[in-house]
Amino acid sequence: MSSKITLTIIQGKLSGKQYSFESRSTCIIGRNHDCNLQLANEIDMTISRYHCLLDINPPDIRVRDLGSLNGTFVNGRKIGQRKRNQTAQEGLKLNFPEYDLQDSDEIKLGDICFKIAIEAEKSEQILADQPIVQAERQNHTTIINNLLELAHNGDQNLKIISSYKLVKSLGKGSIGEVFLAENNKQRKFVAIKLMSPAVTGKEQGINQFLAEAKNTKSLAHTNIVHLLDYGFALENFFFVMEYCEGGNVWDLMQRSGWRLPIDVAVDIIIQVLEGLSYAHELELSDITTNKGFVHRNLNPYNILITYSNDQIIAKIGDYGLAKAFDLAGLSGQTLTGNQMGIPAFIPRQQVLDFQNSLPEVDVWATAACLYNMLTGYFPRNFTGDPWLAVLQNDPVSILKRNQTVPKKLAEVIDTALVEKPKITFQTAAEFKQALINSMS
């Protein structure tokens, strides 16, 4: 049995109503029509439009007040509330801490009271045929060296990395580290990425994530980093990937004074859109919906660069992996722990529907990346709670950040960043054509 969290309303007009969660999710509670858990105006006007946020990774659950007018209470204790003389806009600047919830805890908003019920799955041995480290978690350099040593000594589970030797670390992220390695036989460089689950003991999550990796491996496009192989051992996932010697777009921006030339930035994004078009339209046997293969975490860190005849070739890295890792419940409670520090490159639709992202969220993210590449700024202003800022702060017109952006291009980027009532460009192809037209 997998872990499960149930919220039961035990007080108020909706008393007896239940909401269950069996996988990684976010839940925004409030009066607004687009909240995951909407408490309509006529039920309780003391509840704010966006009142509080639940960060759920069964059997773990956290709650955070979003600057509500009347406060959020856990077991009778107030955990957050803006002052009476503060407006909802001023409440945006507040950032209240998260609180871990336990079985039988109660959350109260206005006259509505929820009771938390937590059912935790029993511990299971994960993939018993894999070598598991039971000792204290080691650093990634030690882990990669141990993996390679086991592979070189003939471990059949690690045969796919037996021909590689470690060269150096290429960089650390919030959930792993990437290393440069060389194939001893082919004298060819690859990148090996380690991803360390913050939550161990989740066999279902491990298998779910490995199935997503299988989909990623099937992607074959010039503008998507090729995943050569993958596996799970020593309580870590490892991925052997195409090596991109030019680093990532964030590094390129840093070297360029945080603004890229217009033609360079647009060319990179057009290439990214070509990769997205391919992936969004691809039919994969392990994808059970018709939504397309969505990346869900596109940002300047995972747009990688290589060169061909002195021309930049942009490649999308980590296709689907970071969000799949999160959705599989392996990253712990990491809602505010992404690499960028704030959710700068995701649209409000993705916050409101964490699990079911559509291809257009990737299109919005490419527009946000282009905006960032041309201005050095994120599209939104972020003050206080970053997730509430995504919900309530509209992107700032790009010409207010950089007046040298051509008007036609600026109009296309601003249009692409519109989120209400829906994202303007629903497909990567639409946005790509609009960019090409603006540059002509």
Side-chain angles (χ1 to χ4, degrees), residues 8-17 39 42-44 46-47 107-114:
T8 303
I9 298 179
I10 60 173
Q11 177 182 312
K13 293 183 179 179
L14 294 176
S15 184
K17 190 170 182 61
L39 303 176
E42 61 269 19
I43 292 176
D44 194 344
T46 63
I47 294 174
I107 309 172
K108 189 173 183 182
L109 302 74
D111 292 331
I112 303 292
C113 186
F114 296 88

Side-chain angles (χ1 to χ4, degrees), residues 57-307:
N57 188 11
D60 299 318
I61 176 171
R62 287 178 176 175
V63 61
R64 184 164 81 246
D65 185 84
L66 293 174
S68 65
L69 178 61
N70 295 298
T72 302
F73 296 80
V74 174
N75 300 328
R77 178 189 174 194
K78 184 166 64 180
I79 63 166
Q81 178 186 18
R82 71 176 188 266
K83 295 179 181 179
R84 287 287 171 181
N85 61 350
Q86 290 178 309
T87 65
Q89 201 64 24
E90 289 172 325
L92 281 172
K93 300 178 182 178
L94 304 174
N95 194 354
F96 295 108
E98 295 175 329
Y99 286 82
D100 291 315
L101 298 172
Q102 308 298 324
D103 186 49
S104 298
D105 279 352
E106 295 180 2
I107 309 172
K108 189 173 183 182
L109 302 74
D111 292 331
I112 303 292
C113 186
F114 296 88
K115 188 162 188 173
I116 309 297
I118 300 175
E119 302 173 42
E121 66 177 321
K122 295 180 180 179
S123 299
E124 296 178 286
Q125 185 180 359
I126 306 175
L127 303 181
D129 59 333
Q130 299 282 2
I132 302 294
V133 171
Q134 302 293 347
E136 196 174 308
R137 189 171 295 279
Q138 300 163 305
N139 67 52
H140 290 121
T141 302
T142 301
I143 292 169
I144 188 69
N145 280 323
N146 288 342
L147 286 171
L148 291 173
E149 183 178 358
L150 287 169
H152 296 157
N153 289 335
D155 189 307
Q156 290 302 302
N157 291 318
L158 298 170
K159 187 176 180 180
I160 57 178
I161 58 171
S162 61
S163 60
Y164 295 108
K165 68 176 181 180
L166 185 65
V167 178
K168 64 178 181 179
S169 172
L170 293 173
K172 295 181 180 180
S174 58
I175 54 176
E177 187 167 358
V178 180
F179 296 89
L180 180 65
E182 184 180 11
N183 187 305
N184 293 323
K185 298 177 181 178
Q186 300 175 353
R187 298 299 176 191
K188 184 178 180 180
F189 289 112
V190 297
I192 299 180
K193 180 169 187 172
L194 289 184
M195 295 178 73
S196 303
V199 179
T200 58
K202 279 198 166 189
E203 182 175 12
Q204 182 179 352
I206 298 288
N207 291 330
Q208 179 183 336
F209 184 52
L210 289 173
E212 192 73 7
K214 181 180 179 182
N215 284 331
T216 301
K217 187 180 177 182
S218 70
L219 297 176
H221 191 275
T222 302
N223 300 116
I224 297 176
V225 173
H226 188 201
L227 175 61
L228 304 171
D229 239 317
Y230 62 92
F232 178 80
L234 303 183
E235 291 189 334
N236 279 260
F237 297 96
F238 60 91
F239 302 90
V240 182
M241 303 176 296
E242 173 186 3
Y243 171 55
C244 297
E245 75 281 5
N248 59 47
V249 164
W250 188 261
D251 294 333
L252 181 63
M253 289 172 59
Q254 191 173 28
R255 295 193 299 268
S256 305
W258 297 110
R259 286 186 183 180
L260 297 183
I262 291 169
D263 58 339
V264 172
V266 172
D267 180 59
I268 288 172
I269 290 301
I270 285 175
Q271 292 184 58
V272 169
L273 290 167
E274 289 174 354
L276 289 176
S277 291
Y278 161 80
H280 289 169
E281 296 168 9
L282 194 64
E283 293 185 10
L284 298 171
S285 59
D286 290 332
I287 292 181
T288 57
T289 72
N290 295 318
K291 297 174 182 177
F293 195 14
V294 184
H295 189 287
R296 298 188 296 243
N297 193 42
L298 196 66
N299 61 59
Y301 273 103
N302 52 38
I303 300 175
L304 303 178
I305 292 171
T306 186
Y307 297 92

Side-chain angles (χ1 to χ4, degrees), residues 345-378:
F345 298 94
I346 68 172
R348 62 194 306 275
Q349 283 84 347
Q350 202 168 340
V351 175
L352 292 165
D353 197 356
F354 179 78
Q355 291 179 310
N356 302 310
S357 297
L358 297 169
E360 55 261 35
V361 304
D362 286 346
V363 181
W364 192 96
T366 60
C369 289
L370 180 55
Y371 184 112
N372 185 232
M373 292 156 67
L374 294 176
T375 68
Y377 289 90
F378 301 141

